[in-house]
Amino acid sequence: MHLSFSTYYTLISAALVLLVGKFLVQKIKFLRDFNIPEPVAGGLVAAAALFTLHQVTGATFSFSSDLQSGFMLVFFSSIGLSANFSKLREGGRALVLFLLVIAVFIVVQNAIGIGLASALGLDPLVGLIAGSITLIGGHGTAGAWGQVLERDFGVQGAVTLGIACATFGLVIGGLIGGPLAKALITRYQLSTRSGQTHDNQAPLTEASPNAEFEYPDQNRLITANAAVETLALFAGCLAFAEFMTGYSQGKFFQLPTFVWALGAGVLIRNTLDYVFNIKVFDRAIDVFGNASLSIYLAIALLSLKLWELAGLAAPLMVILAAQTIAMGLYAAFVTFRIMGRNYDAAVLAAGHCGFGMGATPTAVANMQAITNQYGPSHKAFLIVPMVGAFFIDIVNAAMIQVFIKLLH
């Protein structure tokens, strides 16, 4: 028996997952102490419930992938619409340094995957699938490269394998980032605001500093007109992304759709700011971006087929376990130290765990869980979305091609 949820029922299910996650984080001290994001908490409960139903009844479930992709694109568009050139200049040296740290980790991740795959008697390309193709790259990159590996290199089931690895990484990335950052903050006493939350702060007004995604639960004063104008901006981003994805197909500048959505946001924002002197309503962008992030993660975890992960071969689980350990150690001893051994560096380490194992939305959710408790980190929220959603995909694509050529 297969149950397919339409768009409406997928949205209802996602909303229920978020409400359950909020309730669990509020009531369970362990989840609060280790800064587990609400969508991850609720999503794992839902995934476990669906897994139990599958085991008992044999039923399988599917949710609207179009809705999931749509909210993901809105989230990335919100990143672009929030980033004017002055913010990019503000990132400066730290942004470049963080990108170099991540680029080195791509090499480490692929070396671990390929090395362990070879040692366990698997095709080295399977190790690459369990490396940056799926963990840094996420589901989109897993599907795209999986087709290439099946068609051109004879790796059977590469797409299915890639989706399973990417799903594993999405969950693990959301579980290890918060605890790691908390451990760093506690050990080095990096925050003087421990224990403070921001749910009851005064709502953000036009005079308030732009909090970006740092406080998703904080009230933001917006109007219906501002909401409509902001939706028009998102529509422009999505239209541009769809056009460029089709136009660049097969060309040297082919990029994932979400990268075009982010780039469109940057282009539209800065054109309005510097050419037409039109002020963009940041608070409305924040509201839509945060809501889209939460719904995207909820649907992604609803779509988590634990019975497929349970069926992964033991050697592949060994590789993924090693990748998890490597991610935690690298974030703690390399990312944190190189980025300054301060509070911002701890939040950056949490973000690195998010997109180093899963995806940029997971990274942002990790950082939100930390900043909601310990205070803002403007530097981290400036750097991670731009690096994780834009620059690193270009670097990763180039490195994947290099590794494939070395192996064949």
Side-chain angles (χ1 to χ4, degrees), residues 351-398:
H352 186 188
C353 289
F355 73 78
M357 291 295 292
T360 302
T362 311
V364 174
N366 282 350
M367 296 191 301
Q368 285 177 340
I370 296 297
T371 57
N372 267 333
Q373 180 174 0
Y374 292 104
S377 175
H378 302 301
K379 180 178 180 180
F381 278 89
L382 170 69
I383 293 174
V384 167
M386 294 302 297
V387 171
F390 186 72
F391 295 112
I392 202 60
D393 279 287
I394 299 173
V395 175
N396 190 31

Side-chain angles (χ1 to χ4, degrees), residues 51 54-55 60-61 159-161 163-165 167 303-313 316-317:
F51 175 74
H54 171 77
Q55 295 297 99
T60 57
F61 310 87
V159 173
T160 301
L161 182 64
I163 295 301
C165 291
T167 303
S303 303
L304 174 61
K305 297 178 175 60
L306 288 176
W307 52 90
E308 292 183 358
L309 290 181
L312 287 176
L316 187 60
M317 293 305 296

Side-chain angles (χ1 to χ4, degrees), residues 37-49:
E38 292 173 3
V40 174
L44 287 179
V45 170

